[in-house]
Amino acid sequence: MGGRDQKIVKKLEKKIVKKGFPDVKISADEGIVRLNGRVNLWSEVITIGYLAAKTKGVKGVINDVTAGEIERKGEEKKVTKRGVYENVSLPKRADVVIVGGGVIGCFIARELSRYKLDVVLLEKESDVACEATKANSGVVHSGIGESSGTLKQKLNVKGNKMCDKVCEELNVPFERDGLLIVITTETLPPKVRKVLPSFISNFICEKIIPYVIFRKGKKAGIPLRPVKREELLEMEPNITDKAIVGVYSPTYGVVYPYEITIALAENAIQNGVKIALNTEVEDILVEDGKVKGVLTDRGTIEAEYVINAAGIFADEVAEMAGAREFSIHPRKGSIIIFDKDMKGYINHSLSELILPQDPHTKGGGIFTTVDGNPNWGPDAIEVSDKYDKSVTAEEIDTIFECGSLLPDFQKSSLITYFAGLRAATYEEDFFIKASENVLGFVNVAGIQSPGLASSPAIAEMVRGILREIGLKMREKEEFNPIRRAIPKFSNLSIEEKKKLIKENPLYGNVICRCEHVTEGEVVDAIHRPLPATTVDAVKRRVRTGMGRCQGGFCGPKVARILARELNIPLEEVTKDGPGSNLFVGKTKSLLAEEA
Amino acid sequence: MIEVDVAIIGGGPAGLASAMKACEEGVKDILIIERGMELGGILLQCIHDGFGTFIFEETLTGPEYAQRYIDEVKKTGINVKLNTMVLEIDSAKRIIAVNQEDGLLEIEAKAIILSMGCRERTRAQILIPGDRPSGIYTAGVAQRYINIEGVIPGKKVVILGSGDIGMIMARRFTLEGAEVEGVYEVMSNPGGLTRNVVQCVEDYEIPLHLSHTITNIRGRRRVEGVTVAKVDSEMRPIKDTERFVPCDTVILSVGLIPENELSKSADVGMDPITNGPIVDEQMQTSVPGIFACGNVVHVHDLVDDVSKVAEVAGKGAAGYIDGKLKKRRSPIKVRAGRNVKYVVPQIIHGEKFDEDIRFYLRVKEIEKSVKTVVLADGERIFEKKIKIVKPPEMVKLDISPDILNRITGDELIIDVEGEEDEEKP
């Protein structure tokens, strides 16, 4: 430990050990702090991590402190991943291996597919976009919610501008519906409201706060426009009476996060990238401080460059390489989704400004998906378990409070709710760096909101890092940025529908009553470059089961089509990959077992 | 553009019976549009018996009951389009539908009968917290998997909701060799018919836990278990009664919702209590020439009732086409009174009634020794004693024309009076 590190440890001992956590051991190496030991509560683990991260001189926090209260730990039962789940044979070597098929991994894969490189992306699940990406709100933030000067803000502002072109190339819908930041009678903290005369608090809400937000945007290059009350009510007639004024952010938009990720993966495959699903990384092979390859549960791949885009598991993958400089503490976010017959109830995304703001999350809001389903949320809950994607009763209540901006909204139009885990670090900024200890290993970690909006800029940045650390990149002339989408029957005109059915009669068989999805679309999804092999994979591609009946009608039909197209018995169809079987056997099979 | 006299949306029991009646009444050009590969609707997966005791005076299975109607339909000139999904209906009675053979169909009908049935309420709609693994099914979906697709969803089953389908599935799973750990019902009384409590649950010694609910579902890829708890009088779970039940399957029988997206696209006026169209005594909706019958109007307990009311709609549609249907004068609103959740029809018309009208009502709470009373302008024009009323069992009142013709004013109120009320002078 160098002198500087000793100073850090001393400071931290004062802050942590002497403040009620005597069992926490602290060490530091080149500004990377390592914490070990045991405390009572998970919330204390989090507190300790933040205390360390905020200390001067600390570059990264590895927080391995455990808590006594950990309630549940997800366990992975060993399941077979062969058969339909082996979508490609695993190559023996590659120039670059990307670990993780979320939006970040897939964006990097597509970015690298522009060059003459052998790129392999490894994904442990049976589809891309299965973890944080699929539970993401899909919001393409403008950057106004981020602290000035962070990497997050810089990449968010840049990435937001890149989204139109990428979405056009990939043929995925992107709606810039804009965000209204709403300042209400509850924006100022109750304590402040109590002591200030109302004309002063009104002045703060009407003039000062919008001006501060506007200035912050101007500094970061984010277009914003203050909105007076009359205009606010015109823009959003259903908004609460407690709304005072607003600030409009026109560059804010929405995509489907899984759709863009699947499109990126397909386009990458089109341009030569290999995506191996159901392939779990077990070790990163390192020799003499250099990356040599990746050991997976399906064999070894030699490679000199490995990109860690493992999201919630990025710290574990970094540890395998001996290149861990951070900890990921999962922060759960749940979202409630409502029926699209509420489309048009709001015209823009809405976010109520409540001061003081939570430093670690922008908090929940109200937004509308591309198809018009209102969404409320997400909330933000620190959890100890990287597999805990449950939505609790308390969370449902909290999210319903997001809707206080729309007092007359029909909550009974709720369709479903879901949760995902943000891959938060204690530094609360993106961690995108080549490892100094392990040559060829690049961490792309701590990517939480606004990760989706930043993803195009992150991919570009990673390309730059790879070049800096010695990867030779020569452009491919034949690179094709255009990805053809599966035709969406429900969006077509009558004439287009007629034409499509004539070309392929399967488009005349509507199998989903809520979203009007046809058999043609499902069959297409199953035979795409990145095949959909599960009910959920089909759902993410064509929306079967996303409507108000939640698969009650289409579920059996989708399962049957999957069995037919994959040439497997119906009872082997799964919801989302090995271990998630829909059935336990054919009828009479349990009786036969008993006998 | 195809032109028809009557287009019937949905070829389940309501659609079939209304088609037959319209045909009997002399309508020439009738088209049934069915999204399934066969006529019969949900009856096809209901392989248990108990259907037809009123209409056929014998007990049939669902497919047998449907077949009686299908055979009749086949003898007539009624046209049927199978595997055909209706995408849209407008108030001018134009229909857009689609199938593989014809492609996109544009149909113009003189009258339409809506008979789309209902769908099941889902896990999220009743706000059950927890994980979202494989192994959570609504009862009807599980029934389809076992009885039609020939696969078993799970081995150890917890059922939430003692609606009829929930209890029928408790028995079905048991017969398949699966273990049904219990049926949990949030209300203090079973949600389905008494005969199903006896024949599907008690006879198989399946525990029925009243005033209980599921407070959490757990499982990463497949259901691993649920937490159940007792509920208090306001149906809030009581924390210290929580118990973890390992299982691999959760079956939900927590209510049915009339399926009215197409009705809404045709601007049909809806009743917020039934979630179905507001209909009159001919089963005509607020849009002239659009009729509705069966579970799309409100959820029935017995298919026999569906068939019966579908005939009213079929006759109404026939009358509408040849102009015989009574002019809609002097509408009389029918209101749900004491201990009545809803009444169908919600409106009746006429200066002079010449036929019985059957009113269907659902009560809010169990009550013994009651009297149903029909009040018109404060006057008791009809009274009927009933031993017991309960929410799962629909009350039917047939009221004759001579009573109906005594109505003055523009409102009827139907009350269920309890014993105490009776004692009042």
Side-chain angles (χ1 to χ4, degrees), chain B residues 351-367:
Chain B
E351 258 95 67
K352 191 169 170 352
F353 293 93
D354 42 24
E355 278 182 337
D356 274 15
I357 294 180
R358 174 170 279 191
F359 292 92
Y360 294 88
L361 48 125
R362 213 171 271 285
V363 298
K364 292 178 183 163
E365 283 161 23
I366 288 198
E367 228 174 345

Side-chain angles (χ1 to χ4, degrees), chain A residues 391 417 560 581-582 584 588, chain B residues 128 130 137 149 152 176 222:
Chain A
V391 179
Y417 33 80
R560 226 187 225 199
N581 287 57
L582 295 175
V584 292
K588 309 280 181 286
Chain B
I128 304 178
Y137 299 94
E149 311 287 345
I152 312 172
E176 271 300 328
R222 176 84 199 191

Side-chain angles (χ1 to χ4, degrees), chain A residues 183-260:
Chain A
I183 294 142
T184 71
T185 51
E186 283 162 29
T187 291
L188 293 176
K191 275 184 197 162
V192 177
R193 270 182 270 151
K194 222 184 250 171
V195 295
L196 285 184
S198 67
F199 76 94
I200 296 186
S201 56
N202 279 350
F203 182 76
I204 295 174
C205 287
E206 275 177 44
K207 305 282 182 205
I208 296 184
I209 297 173
Y211 180 75
V212 170
I213 299 172
F214 177 76
R215 285 289 305 173
K216 182 182 168 191
K218 194 164 185 190
K219 205 172 142 201
I222 303 161
L224 292 174
R225 180 167 68 79
V227 174
K228 291 215 172 84
R229 186 176 156 87
E230 302 76 58
E231 196 191 348
L232 183 67
L233 295 178
E234 222 166 85
M235 291 168 89
E236 296 299 341
N238 292 314
I239 208 165
T240 164
D241 287 343
K242 65 181 190 175
I244 301 174
V245 289
V247 178
Y248 183 59
S249 166
T251 55
Y252 183 101
V254 285
V255 294
Y256 284 121
Y258 40 85
E259 186 179 25
I260 192 171

Side-chain angles (χ1 to χ4, degrees), chain B residues 223-279:
Chain B
V223 171
E224 289 158 27
V226 295
T227 307
V228 294
K230 229 180 165 145
V231 297
D232 63 18
S233 57
E234 272 155 54
M235 286 197 277
R236 285 170 310 206
I238 303 166
K239 196 83 191 161
D240 59 10
T241 63
E242 281 191 338
R243 174 168 68 89
F244 184 74
V245 179
C247 61
D248 65 6
T249 306
V250 180
I251 298 294
L252 302 167
S253 172
V254 290
L256 300 169
I257 307 166
E259 194 164 304
N260 277 293
E261 278 66 40
L262 292 173
S263 320
K264 287 178 197 159
S265 82
D267 283 330
V268 163
M270 302 291 290
D271 179 337
I273 307 292
T274 57
N275 283 315
I278 295 169
V279 290

Side-chain angles (χ1 to χ4, degrees), chain A residues 571-591:
Chain A
E571 61 273 24
E572 283 177 22
V573 174
T574 65
K575 179 174 181 283
D576 57 358
S580 66
N581 287 57
L582 295 175
F583 315 110
V584 292
K586 286 195 168 53
T587 43
K588 309 280 181 286
S589 63
L590 296 181
L591 297 167

